[in-house]
Amino acid sequence: MKKIFVSALAFDDGKSGISNYIENTIYNLAQDNKVSVALLEKDMDNFKRKHKNIHFILFPNILKSSILNLIFHMFFLPFYVNKDYDFMFLPAANRRLMAFYPIFTIATFHDLSQFNVSNKYDFFRMFYIKHIIPIFLKPIKKIIAVSNNTKLDMEKHFNIDSQRIIVNYNGVDKELFHSPKGDFEKIKEKLSLNKKYFLYVSRLEHPGKNHLNLIKAYEALPLEIKDEYDLVLVGNQKENSHVIIDHIQNSKDKESIKILGFLENEELPSIFYNAKLFIFPSYYEGFGIPLIEAMAMKVPTLCASNSSLLEIGKDVSAFFDEYSPLSIKNCIEEVLSDESKQEEMVAKGLVEVKKYDWSYHANKIIELYKTR
């Protein structure tokens, strides 16, 4: 049994793909190890997957400020890591690193979409990503990339030796995403889901997550399809979400485009399961956990032709040109009109999703420590 120090100071209130990663990885590490987790006080309720082997080291909520959080994490948190721990794990290295590492450290890097999506972040955040992160990654000997695509991006943009980067795929919570949870009729009533629907699960962020081209594709669908199917968007509102909301408010189809906001994990399986199609138009993804969650819930998946989506969706998903609403529209119509194709996609997805397991991911982290 190892003693592991983990920083979860970039937990995003439990409302992002990274928080999904942090929670599931820590929970699975804790099955056979003692895990001490640095966490903000406000996130104790947000961290759902607790375990007897998880001990929380709580820090004041003043650190919810991104700048204060980053400075504290960089220069002060290392002093909380003593030699009693076997190793330290940083699950969000693309956001939070340290000025020095008091013990052996393994870090996970999720994506470098900032280099591939114009105007994703402001000048100062891009400066941090381009010039600060590479400096403080140098002392870390074992860096996990969640896809081959992310590994290649790190080699290209940070000039990191490929031997230091180990691909370790994300997982899917098989306890949760295997059958619908709860009473879907009550969920439908709560969320005002009155029709069948197409689904996109992602934070509402513009332009990176490409909601606008998906909405434009939906608007261009034949009236008989829109009469039968709504477009449902699930996710926390983030950078420039007002652009998406304003477009919907001015759309002739605004009554059929539903923004549900952030949903608890327990509600998501039913939301996935009852979707007719899952559509993932993002301009760039380091992995894209909702894609495998949709596969696990037996939903045909339609994807943008880029980044890790090509890697994870290969041989399962139908692909479109994410820059073209017409291409998205045509892909929706093609899959929707072919029930046998949908059945084939579901069957292939159930086979593919077996490759993605959080317990395997956690075990590989332990093996990286043992073979250091």
Side-chain angles (χ1 to χ4, degrees):
M1 180 176 282
K2 306 301 179 188
K3 292 182 65 178
I4 309 166
F5 182 93
V6 181
S7 169
L9 292 186
F11 194 60
D12 292 338
D13 298 321
K15 296 180 179 180
S16 72
I18 283 183
S19 57
N20 184 336
Y21 175 85
I22 290 172
E23 196 165 16
N24 279 292
T25 304
I26 288 173
Y27 180 79
N28 281 274
L29 283 170
Q31 300 305 306
D32 299 303
N33 304 280
K34 296 285 188 182
V35 186
S36 295
V37 180
L39 190 72
L40 297 183
E41 291 173 345
K42 70 181 182 62
D43 283 325
M44 271 300 291
D45 290 337
N46 299 326
F47 198 105
K48 306 295 185 184
R49 305 205 75 188
K50 295 180 172 69
H51 189 279
K52 64 180 181 179
N53 288 337
I54 299 175
H55 167 66
F56 292 99
I57 304 170
L58 298 180
F59 291 90
N61 290 334
I62 191 173
L63 295 178
K64 68 182 180 181
S65 159
S66 296
I67 296 298
L68 290 179
N69 191 299
L70 189 150
I71 293 171
F72 179 84
H73 199 284
M74 187 79 73
F75 299 105
F76 296 95
L77 188 61
F79 292 102
Y80 288 84
V81 185
N82 60 52
K83 304 292 185 182
D84 291 338
Y85 296 108
D86 291 289
F87 71 95
M88 177 164 56
F89 176 54
L90 300 181
N94 49 309
R95 294 192 183 179
R96 297 292 182 270
L97 290 166
M98 294 178 171
F100 65 95
Y101 303 94
I103 59 175
F104 182 81
T105 299
I106 298 170
T108 294
F109 213 92
H110 295 273
D111 75 277
L112 280 169
S113 58
Q114 305 89 347
F115 287 87
N116 299 279
V117 180
S118 299
N119 302 315
K120 183 175 173 70
Y121 293 137
D122 61 32
F123 171 82
F124 294 103
R125 194 162 176 182
M126 287 303 298
F127 183 87
Y128 173 75
I129 292 163
K130 287 182 176 180
H131 303 291
I132 305 301
I133 283 179
I135 294 171
F136 295 110
L137 271 178
K138 284 183 179 178
I140 300 176
K141 300 296 188 293
K142 301 284 188 180
I143 304 171
I144 291 170
V146 296
S147 65
N148 283 296
N149 185 80
T150 294
K151 178 177 180 177
L152 292 172
D153 274 352
M154 295 184 73
E155 292 173 15
K156 175 182 177 182
H157 297 292
F158 290 164
N159 197 28
I160 296 177
D161 181 356
S162 65
Q163 299 301 312
R164 291 173 57 204
I165 308 171
I166 300 92
V167 175
N168 191 10
Y169 284 125
N170 288 329
V172 63
D173 182 355
K174 291 183 169 62
E175 294 178 13
L176 193 62
F177 290 93
H178 68 89
S179 62
K181 302 291 180 181
D183 187 338
F184 185 63
E185 291 303 317
K186 289 183 179 179
I187 295 174
K188 279 174 60 179
E189 183 178 352
K190 171 187 171 184
L191 301 175
S192 300
L193 298 176
N194 303 316
K195 298 192 305 195
K196 292 183 282 186
Y197 56 89
F198 310 133
L199 178 67
Y200 181 26
V201 177
S202 172
R203 64 183 181 270
L204 266 69
E205 174 194 291
H206 178 78
K209 297 301 182 178
N210 197 22
H211 287 81
L212 287 193
N213 278 342
L214 173 59
I215 292 168
K216 291 174 183 177
Y218 177 81
E219 290 170 334
L221 286 169
L223 186 59
E224 60 267 23
I225 293 179
K226 291 186 288 186
D227 283 343
E228 187 173 2
Y229 298 96
D230 283 340
L231 174 61
V232 170
L233 308 174
V234 173
N236 197 30
Q237 293 186 25
K238 298 295 285 185
E239 290 88 353
N240 297 317
S241 60
H242 67 276
V243 176
I244 303 164
I245 294 168
D246 287 349
H247 183 97
I248 294 171
Q249 288 302 314
N250 293 314
S251 172
K252 66 182 187 302
D253 296 309
K254 64 181 180 181
E255 299 301 324
S256 297
I257 303 171
K258 311 284 189 182
I259 296 179
L260 304 190
F262 174 77
L263 297 182
E264 297 293 340
N265 284 342
E266 291 71 22
E267 293 177 311
L268 282 174
S270 286
I271 294 295
F272 274 107
Y273 183 78
N274 287 281
K276 183 63 176 179
L277 303 174
F278 177 77
I279 310 170
F280 209 154
S282 178
Y283 283 128
Y284 212 85
E285 290 291 326
F287 184 89
I289 292 174
L291 180 58
I292 57 173
E293 291 175 341
M295 291 179 190
M297 295 310 300
K298 304 178 182 179
V299 185
T301 54
L302 285 59
C303 279
S305 303
N306 67 57
S307 60
S308 63
L309 298 178
L310 286 169
E311 180 181 344
I312 309 303
K314 181 182 178 183
D315 300 325
V316 176
S317 302
F319 291 96
F320 51 75
D321 177 357
E322 61 274 18
Y323 291 92
S324 168
L326 178 61
S327 177
I328 302 172
K329 166 189 172 288
N330 289 342
C331 189
I332 292 171
E333 288 187 280
E334 179 185 346
V335 175
L336 195 61
S337 66
D338 192 338
E339 289 287 345
S340 63
K341 183 178 181 68
Q342 294 172 39
E343 292 172 4
E344 180 183 2
M345 293 168 74
V346 167
K348 287 182 176 179
L350 290 173
V351 173
E352 179 69 15
V353 80
K354 291 177 182 177
K355 294 168 27 179
Y356 305 106
D357 189 292
W358 286 120
S359 63
Y360 176 83
H361 185 93
N363 290 337
K364 193 165 183 176
I365 292 171
I366 300 300
E367 287 304 311
L368 290 177
Y369 167 73
K370 290 179 178 178
T371 58
R372 67 194 183 282

